[in-house]
Coordinates of all heavy atoms in Angstrom, one line a residue:
D1 N 43.7 11.0 -3.1 CA 43.1 11.3 -1.8 C 43.3 10.3 -0.8 O 43.5 10.5 0.4 CB 41.6 11.6 -2.0 CG 41.3 12.9 -2.7 OD1 42.1 13.8 -2.7 OD2 40.1 13.0 -3.2
Q2 N 43.3 9.0 -1.2 CA 43.6 7.9 -0.3 C 45.0 7.9 0.2 O 45.3 7.6 1.4 CB 43.3 6.6 -0.9 CG 41.8 6.3 -1.2 CD 41.6 5.1 -2.1 OE1 42.4 4.8 -3.0 NE2 40.4 4.5 -1.9
V3 N 46.0 8.3 -0.6 CA 47.4 8.4 -0.2 C 47.5 9.4 1.0 O 48.1 9.1 2.0 CB 48.3 8.9 -1.3 CG1 49.7 9.3 -0.8 CG2 48.4 7.8 -2.4
F4 N 46.9 10.6 0.9 CA 47.0 11.6 1.9 C 46.2 11.2 3.2 O 46.5 11.7 4.3 CB 46.5 12.9 1.4 CG 47.5 13.6 0.5 CD1 47.1 13.7 -0.9 CD2 48.7 13.9 0.9 CE1 48.0 14.3 -1.8 CE2 49.6 14.5 0.0 CZ 49.3 14.7 -1.4
A5 N 45.2 10.3 3.1 CA 44.4 9.9 4.2 C 45.0 8.6 4.9 O 44.5 8.2 5.9 CB 43.0 9.6 3.8
E6 N 45.9 7.9 4.2 CA 46.5 6.7 4.7 C 47.1 6.9 6.1 O 47.8 7.9 6.4 CB 47.6 6.3 3.8 CG 48.3 5.0 4.1 CD 47.4 3.8 3.9 OE1 46.6 3.8 3.0 OE2 47.5 2.8 4.7
P7 N 46.6 6.1 7.1 CA 47.1 6.3 8.5 C 48.6 6.5 8.7 O 49.0 7.3 9.5 CB 46.5 5.1 9.2 CG 45.3 4.7 8.4 CD 45.7 5.0 7.0
Q8 N 49.4 5.7 8.0 CA 50.8 5.8 8.1 C 51.3 7.1 7.6 O 52.2 7.7 8.2 CB 51.5 4.6 7.4 CG 52.9 4.4 7.7 CD 53.1 4.0 9.1 OE1 53.7 4.9 9.9 NE2 52.8 2.8 9.6
A9 N 50.7 7.6 6.5 CA 51.1 8.9 5.9 C 50.8 10.0 6.9 O 51.5 11.0 7.1 CB 50.5 9.1 4.6
V10 N 49.6 9.9 7.5 CA 49.2 11.0 8.5 C 50.1 10.9 9.7 O 50.6 12.0 10.1 CB 47.7 10.7 8.9 CG1 47.3 11.6 10.0 CG2 46.8 10.9 7.7
A11 N 50.3 9.7 10.2 CA 51.2 9.6 11.4 C 52.6 10.1 11.2 O 53.2 10.7 12.1 CB 51.2 8.2 11.9
R12 N 53.1 10.0 10.0 CA 54.5 10.4 9.7 C 54.5 11.8 9.2 O 55.6 12.4 8.9 CB 55.1 9.5 8.7 CG 55.3 8.0 9.3 CD 56.2 7.2 8.5 NE 57.5 7.7 8.6 CZ 58.5 7.5 7.6 NH1 58.2 6.8 6.6 NH2 59.7 8.0 7.8
G13 N 53.4 12.5 9.1 CA 53.3 13.9 8.6 C 53.8 14.0 7.2 O 54.6 15.0 6.9
L14 N 53.4 13.2 6.3 CA 53.9 13.2 4.9 C 53.2 14.1 4.0 O 53.6 14.2 2.8 CB 53.9 11.7 4.4 CG 54.9 10.8 5.1 CD1 54.8 9.4 4.5 CD2 56.3 11.3 5.1
T15 N 52.2 14.8 4.5 CA 51.5 15.8 3.6 C 52.1 17.1 3.7 O 52.3 17.6 4.9 CB 50.0 15.8 4.0 OG1 49.4 14.6 3.8 CG2 49.3 16.8 3.1
V16 N 52.5 17.7 2.6 CA 53.0 19.1 2.6 C 52.2 19.9 1.7 O 51.8 19.5 0.6 CB 54.5 19.1 2.1 CG1 55.0 20.5 2.0 CG2 55.4 18.2 2.9
E17 N 51.8 21.1 2.2 CA 51.1 22.1 1.4 C 52.0 23.2 1.0 O 52.7 23.8 1.9 CB 49.8 22.6 2.1 CG 48.7 21.6 2.1 CD 47.4 22.2 2.4 OE1 47.3 23.4 2.6 OE2 46.4 21.4 2.5
Q18 N 52.1 23.5 -0.3 CA 53.0 24.6 -0.8 C 52.2 25.4 -1.7 O 51.2 25.0 -2.3 CB 54.2 24.0 -1.4 CG 55.1 23.1 -0.5 CD 56.2 22.4 -1.2 OE1 56.0 21.8 -2.2 NE2 57.4 22.6 -0.7
T19 N 52.7 26.7 -1.9 CA 52.0 27.6 -2.8 C 52.9 27.8 -4.0 O 54.1 28.0 -3.9 CB 51.9 29.0 -2.1 OG1 51.1 28.8 -0.9 CG2 51.1 29.9 -2.9
R20 N 52.2 27.8 -5.1 CA 52.9 28.1 -6.4 C 52.3 29.4 -6.9 O 51.1 29.6 -6.9 CB 52.6 27.0 -7.4 CG 53.7 26.1 -7.7 CD 53.6 25.0 -8.7 NE 52.7 25.3 -9.8 CZ 52.2 24.4 -10.6 NH1 52.5 23.2 -10.5 NH2 51.5 24.7 -11.7
P21 N 53.2 30.3 -7.4 CA 52.7 31.6 -7.9 C 51.6 31.6 -8.9 O 50.8 32.4 -9.0 CB 54.0 32.3 -8.4 CG 55.1 31.5 -7.8 CD 54.6 30.1 -7.6
D22 N 51.6 30.5 -9.8 CA 50.7 30.5 -10.9 C 49.3 29.9 -10.5 O 48.4 29.8 -11.3 CB 51.3 29.7 -12.1 CG 51.6 28.3 -11.7 OD1 52.0 28.0 -10.6 OD2 51.5 27.4 -12.7
L23 N 49.2 29.4 -9.3 CA 47.9 28.8 -8.9 C 47.3 29.6 -7.8 O 48.0 30.3 -7.0 CB 48.2 27.4 -8.4 CG 48.7 26.4 -9.4 CD1 49.0 25.1 -8.8 CD2 47.8 26.2 -10.6
N24 N 46.0 29.5 -7.7 CA 45.3 30.3 -6.6 C 45.0 29.4 -5.4 O 44.3 29.9 -4.5 CB 43.9 30.8 -7.2 CG 44.1 31.8 -8.2 OD1 45.1 32.5 -8.2 ND2 43.2 31.9 -9.2
A25 N 45.5 28.2 -5.3 CA 45.3 27.3 -4.2 C 46.6 26.6 -3.8 O 47.5 26.4 -4.7 CB 44.2 26.3 -4.6
P26 N 46.7 26.2 -2.6 CA 47.9 25.4 -2.2 C 47.9 24.1 -3.0 O 46.9 23.5 -3.4 CB 47.7 25.2 -0.7 CG 46.5 25.9 -0.3 CD 45.8 26.4 -1.5
V27 N 49.1 23.6 -3.2 CA 49.4 22.3 -3.8 C 49.8 21.3 -2.7 O 50.7 21.6 -2.0 CB 50.5 22.4 -4.8 CG1 50.8 21.1 -5.4 CG2 50.1 23.4 -5.9
R28 N 49.0 20.2 -2.6 CA 49.4 19.2 -1.7 C 50.4 18.2 -2.3 O 50.2 17.8 -3.5 CB 48.2 18.3 -1.3 CG 47.3 19.0 -0.2 CD 46.3 18.1 0.4 NE 45.6 17.2 -0.6 CZ 44.8 16.3 -0.3 NH1 44.5 16.0 0.9 NH2 44.2 15.6 -1.3
T29 N 51.5 18.0 -1.6 CA 52.5 17.1 -2.1 C 52.9 16.1 -1.0 O 52.5 16.3 0.1 CB 53.8 17.8 -2.6 OG1 54.3 18.5 -1.5 CG2 53.5 18.8 -3.7
V30 N 53.6 15.1 -1.4 CA 54.0 14.1 -0.4 C 55.5 14.4 0.0 O 56.3 14.6 -0.9 CB 54.0 12.7 -1.0 CG1 54.4 11.7 0.0 CG2 52.5 12.4 -1.4
A31 N 55.7 14.6 1.3 CA 57.0 14.8 1.8 C 57.9 13.6 1.6 O 57.4 12.5 1.5 CB 57.0 15.2 3.3
S32 N 59.2 13.8 1.6 CA 60.1 12.6 1.6 C 59.9 11.8 2.9 O 59.9 12.4 4.0 CB 61.5 13.1 1.5 OG 62.4 12.1 1.6
P33 N 59.9 10.5 2.7 CA 59.8 9.7 3.9 C 61.1 9.5 4.6 O 61.2 8.9 5.7 CB 59.2 8.3 3.4 CG 59.7 8.3 2.0 CD 59.7 9.7 1.5
I34 N 62.2 10.0 4.0 CA 63.5 9.8 4.5 C 63.8 10.7 5.7 O 63.4 11.9 5.6 CB 64.6 10.0 3.4 CG1 64.4 9.0 2.3 CG2 66.0 10.0 4.0 CD1 65.2 9.3 1.0
R35 N 64.3 10.2 6.7 CA 64.7 11.0 7.9 C 66.2 10.9 8.1 O 66.7 9.8 8.1 CB 63.9 10.5 9.2 CG 62.4 10.5 9.0 CD 61.8 11.9 9.0 NE 60.4 11.9 9.1 CZ 59.6 12.1 8.1 NH1 60.1 12.3 6.9 NH2 58.3 12.1 8.2

């Protein structure tokens, strides 16, 4: 939770929500920091 709330992660848009067919909720993952 702290990773996703980290100001640098928020500013760089590093949170990605994706859907997996076997789950009923989105999965939060960390986007690549590479640009």
Side-chain angles (χ1 to χ4, degrees):
D1 287 341
Q2 290 168 330
V3 167
F4 288 114
E6 183 70 35
Q8 196 60 255
V10 172
R12 295 194 67 207
L14 296 180
T15 301
V16 176
E17 286 197 2
Q18 297 174 311
T19 303
R20 255 186 29 199
D22 61 328
L23 299 176
N24 293 331
V27 176
R28 281 192 315 175
T29 62
V30 179
S32 173
I34 298 170
R35 302 290 189 256

